[in-house]
């Protein structure tokens, strides 16, 4: 990867966090479904590891392999590109999201593509590929069930692994009924999960056969053989990669791994940690277009390798973020994510990894405030992460950077300095509590402190807190232990 470092470009919901958060909190259906889904997925992760202790050893090896691959990324990507080329494929490097979209649009134009079928891919969400293709008059259809549902709803994925995690069955039925009225296919008779799935299957089957181009992401890039590896639970990747005459795989550069031994170590991890399965139901491996040894598959195969700010993280304290396998385990345990769901984060990457990754990829130009706002510092994410990515440490570092950048005015700095000195002494701390207790009644509603004067007002914009107790612990201790009071009170 030659050339200078360049910040990535990500689509973003520019509304302030309190607005996005409050909108999410008001959506009771979404909150119920997200809460149920995340708890179910987390329970699956815990169970599979307790039933299958050997998985832990593979996880440890996978971390070592992945960290080594990130260090050796330049060489491995070259090896990957060489192997793809030898098998008749083409590799393109996109430095930014617009570069990647431009490349895919050019490939589609060159091949006179009118219809595209896609697998689920966070990278193509990141670059807003569908929008670019639709602008060119191309029909784009998502074939992953969750993505198909949210495409019908005109929404964004709310979870890295389960894009429609915020929708319940009644909502899906209504979307499919509307879809059926346009497609002419018999609508599903009820909201049973099986009949809903059967409808999507009937509907999508005809589209696979009509499509000119298949577009996929990629879970892993194997440098040794120039292979793109996809894991799914629905098998749609098999059809997307074999039926259309042109195939484009859009994959982040950080997905590189050295060889098949490394693949063996890591391939179970997304399923184990994401959904609590020992292995995903389908593994699709693409190593070249049809011709030569391959009896079936696309006539043309292009791989678009996306940087978009990723290589800028190498050699920094945040390098381990590039080991993320998008399993979603950190989302499933996050108390903030469980309340607000993915769409409130304002980026395609949500939850703890999104809070860290979005500002990092964009050099702090996008959603830099999220590490301050959407984390309780409970550390549940680092325990859940199979790749041992130290998300809480990164969130703290990003908070520090944010404060350095934005708390720049002399008066703000002086106020924080004064506050730090005042609270560093027991007397200062206890006096400030007494002052707060005396004045707090003006700022209380329904038994909680909802606002405060001066600088503290901003803190209460997204939080509330219980009032200072009538008697603090220190006061109680003093009264009962130091002034000859009743010690058994
Ligand atoms: S940060 Fe860890 S837990 Fe979160 S999605 Fe990535 S690999 Fe999974």
């Amino acid at each position: 990867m030659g050339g200078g470092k360049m910040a990535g470009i990500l689509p973003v919901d520019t509304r302030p966090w309190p607005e996005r958060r409050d909108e999410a909190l008001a959506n009771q259906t979404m909150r119920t479904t997200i809460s149920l889904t995340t708890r179910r997925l987390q329970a699956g992760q815990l169970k599979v590891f307790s039933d299958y202790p050997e998985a832990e050893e593979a996880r440890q090896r996978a971390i070592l392999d992945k960290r080594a691959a990130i260090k050796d990324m330049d060489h491995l990507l070259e090896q990957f590109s060489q192997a793809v080329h030898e098998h008749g494929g083409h590799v393109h490097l996109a430095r930014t999201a617009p570069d990647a979209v431009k490349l895919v649009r050019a490939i589609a134009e060159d091949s006179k593509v009118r219809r595209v079928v896609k697998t689920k891919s966070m990278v193509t969400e990141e670059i807003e590929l569908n929008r670019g293709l639709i602008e060119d008059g191309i029909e784009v259809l998502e074939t992953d069930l969750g993505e198909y549902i949210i495409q019908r709803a005109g929404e964004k994925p709310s979870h890295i692994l389960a894009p429609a995690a915020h929708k319940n069955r009644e909502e899906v039925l209504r979307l499919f009924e509307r879809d059926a009225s346009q497609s002419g296919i018999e609508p599903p008779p009820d909201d049973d999960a099986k009949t809903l799935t059967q409808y999507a299957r009937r509907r999508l089957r005809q589209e696979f056969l009509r499509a000119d181009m298949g577009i996929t992401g990629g879970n892993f890039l194997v440098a040794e053989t120039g292979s793109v590896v996809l894991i799914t639970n629905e098998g749609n990747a098999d059809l997307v990669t074999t039926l259309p005459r042109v195939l484009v795989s859009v994959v982040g550069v950080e997905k590189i791994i050295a060889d098949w031994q490394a693949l063996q170590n890591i391939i179970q991890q997304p399923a184990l940690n994401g959904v609590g399965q020992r292995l995903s139901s389908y593994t699709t491996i693409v190593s070249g277009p049809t011709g030569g040894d391959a009896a079936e598959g696309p006539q043309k195969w292009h791989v678009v390798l996306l940087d978009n700010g990723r290589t800028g993280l190498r050699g920094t304290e945040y390098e381990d973020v590039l080991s993320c396998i998008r399993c979603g385990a950190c989302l499933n345990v996050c108390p903030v994510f469980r309340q607000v769901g993915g769409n409130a984060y304002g980026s395609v990457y949500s939850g703890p990894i999104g809070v860290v990754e979005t500002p990092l990829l964009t050099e702090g130009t996008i959603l830099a405030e999220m590490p301050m706002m959407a984390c309780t510092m409970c550390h549940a994410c680092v325990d859940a992460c199979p790749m041992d990515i130290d998300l809480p440490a990164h969130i703290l570092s990003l908070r520090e950077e944010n404060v350095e950048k934005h708390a720049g005015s002399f008066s703000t700095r002086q106020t924080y300095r004064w506050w730090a000195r005042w609270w560093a002494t027991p007397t200062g701390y206890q006096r400030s509590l007494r002052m707060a207790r005396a004045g707090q009644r003006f700022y209380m509603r329904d038994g909680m402190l909802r606002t405060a004067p001066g600088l503290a007002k901003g803190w209460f914009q997204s939080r509330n807190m219980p009032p200072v107790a009538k008697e603090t612990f220190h006061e109680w201790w003093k009264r009962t232990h130091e002034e000859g009071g009743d010690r058994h009170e």
Side-chain angles (χ1 to χ4, degrees), residues 89-118:
H90 307 272
V91 177
H92 314 261
L93 176 65
R95 297 195 66 77
T96 64
D99 291 349
V101 175
K102 206 166 145 195
L103 274 164
V104 181
R105 284 169 92 163
I107 295 166
E109 191 186 354
D110 192 46
S111 302
K112 301 194 173 21
V113 167
R114 304 305 332 145
R115 290 192 188 88
V116 166
V117 282
K118 281 183 70 214

Side-chain angles (χ1 to χ4, degrees), residues 160 323-331 353 381 384-389 391:
I160 293 179
S323 306
C324 177
I325 52 169
R326 310 274 183 241
C327 70
C330 57
L331 280 60
I353 183 66
C381 53
C385 177
M387 301 310 287
D388 284 357
I389 300 171
L391 293 163

Side-chain angles (χ1 to χ4, degrees), residues 358-392:
T358 304
L360 283 179
L361 289 181
T362 57
E363 290 185 1
T365 54
I366 284 179
L367 300 174
E369 75 284 7
M370 289 304 279
M372 325 272 282
M373 300 291 187
C375 174
T376 63
M377 273 291 138
C378 70
H379 283 58
C381 53
V382 70
D383 292 338
C385 177
M387 301 310 287
D388 284 357
I389 300 171
D390 199 346
L391 293 163

Side-chain angles (χ1 to χ4, degrees), residues 7-60:
I9 299 166
L10 263 73
V12 64
D13 181 345
T14 51
R15 293 174 301 155
W17 160 250
E19 200 179 314
R20 287 183 268 121
R21 175 209 59 199
D22 290 349
E23 183 181 274
L25 292 176
N27 185 344
Q28 203 48 55
T29 309
M30 181 280 293
R31 290 179 69 184
T32 308
T33 49
I34 283 282
S35 173
L36 286 172
T37 307
T38 49
R39 280 165 213 277
R40 179 171 50 78
L41 294 174
Q42 186 202 4
Q45 181 194 27
L46 295 175
K47 177 154 189 344
V48 79
F49 273 91
S50 71
D51 292 351
Y52 183 36
E54 307 89 295
E56 178 54 22
E57 205 182 304
R59 186 182 78 84
Q60 295 294 344

